[in-house]
């Protein structure tokens, strides 16, 4: 099946710092989704991307659909304690019929 | 609140038993997905239904089965349970086949 490589695996940052994480695949994707999951709860959709090069913001979060269609990036600006959680990317391959999820980036924000 | 509901929230059972997890999608969504998430692990896709029909299958064990009913709610049946089946089980729904998915709060299954 498809492999989505998400990095970094974990991040420990100071409150107020900016955060960047990315997701890469070996094949072309049509759609990229970014989710945040708090412990014991369901993932919450943050941003959806549908076109190569697309840049979409949701408050302090910005995500981009890579122009090669094989990667996507999520940036969080001016992090706050409630940003703590696990961030997952998900992608739909152009030849596939299911979404594939990355392994997650665990974010810890130190006040 | 995503609009996706799952019951029960918690389930504790013994090895060898059978359980049924239930999911109601968001109003208007035709597609339902089931995922398994073991402790500190990522999301493992199990199965997808669209308007009552199975559309995609992931790493779903033969002991597990699912269906989507005419009212679009879905059930995931887990049988001959083993300790390793203990996990969070999430249901997600989407408007059609390839839209963004919205997740329910999950069912935490503990097999003793």
């Amino acid at each position: 099946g498809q492999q989505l490589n998400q990095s970094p695996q974990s991040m420990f940052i100071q409150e107020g710092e900016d955060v960047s994480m990315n997701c890469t695949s070996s094949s072309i994707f049509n759609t990229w989704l970014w989710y945040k999951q708090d412990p014991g709860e369901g993932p919450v959709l943050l941003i959806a991307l549908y076109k190569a090069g697309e840049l979409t913001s949701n408050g302090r979060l910005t995500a981009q659909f890579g122009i090669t269609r094989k990667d996507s990036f999520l940036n969080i600006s001016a992090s706050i304690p409630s940003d703590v959680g696990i961030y997952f990317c998900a992608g739909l391959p152009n030849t596939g019929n299911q979404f594939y999820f990355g392994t997650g980036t665990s974010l810890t924000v130190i006040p | 609140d995503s609009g996706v509901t799952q019951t029960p929230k918690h389930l504790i059972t013994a090895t060898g038993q059978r359980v049924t997890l239930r999911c109601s999608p968001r109003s208007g969504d035709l597609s339902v997905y089931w995922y398994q998430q073991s402790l500190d692990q990522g999301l493992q896709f199990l199965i997808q239904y669209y308007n009552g029909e199975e559309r995609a299958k992931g790493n779903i064990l033969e002991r597990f089965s699912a269906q989507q009913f005419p009212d679009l709610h879905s059930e995931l049946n887990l049988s001959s349970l083993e300790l390793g089946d203990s996990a969070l089980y999430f249901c997600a729904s989407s408007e059609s086949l390839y839209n963004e998915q919205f997740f329910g709060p999950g069912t935490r299954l503990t097999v003793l």
Side-chain angles (χ1 to χ4, degrees), chain A residues 9-11 21 35-39 76 80-88 104-109:
Chain A
Q9 187 173 6
S10 61
M11 302 181 74
M21 60 190 79
Y35 290 88
K36 177 176 182 271
Q37 185 178 25
D38 291 329
I76 305 173
I80 59 178
S82 62
D83 291 334
V84 166
I86 300 179
Y87 292 79
F88 288 101
T105 294
S106 174
L107 177 63
T108 301
V109 179

Side-chain angles (χ1 to χ4, degrees), chain B residues 12-19 80-83 110-112:
Chain B
I12 302 174
T13 188
T15 54
Q17 295 297 304
R18 172 190 168 93
V19 297
S80 302
L81 285 167
E82 302 175 358
L83 295 177
T110 302
V111 182
L112 301 175

Side-chain angles (χ1 to χ4, degrees), chain A residues 19-25 29-35 46-58 60-76 88-91:
Chain A
V19 171
S20 290
M21 60 190 79
N22 68 81
C23 210
T24 59
S25 70
F29 276 52
N30 283 342
T31 301
W32 288 99
L33 308 174
W34 284 94
Y35 290 88
L46 300 173
I47 293 177
L49 302 161
Y50 297 102
K51 284 170 49 178
E54 182 180 355
L55 188 70
T56 298
S57 293
N58 177 5
R60 294 178 295 105
L61 278 62
T62 302
Q64 183 163 25
F65 194 139
I67 57 173
T68 66
R69 296 175 65 192
K70 293 184 178 182
D71 54 13
S72 180
F73 308 87
L74 176 70
N75 296 311
I76 305 173
F88 288 101
C89 62

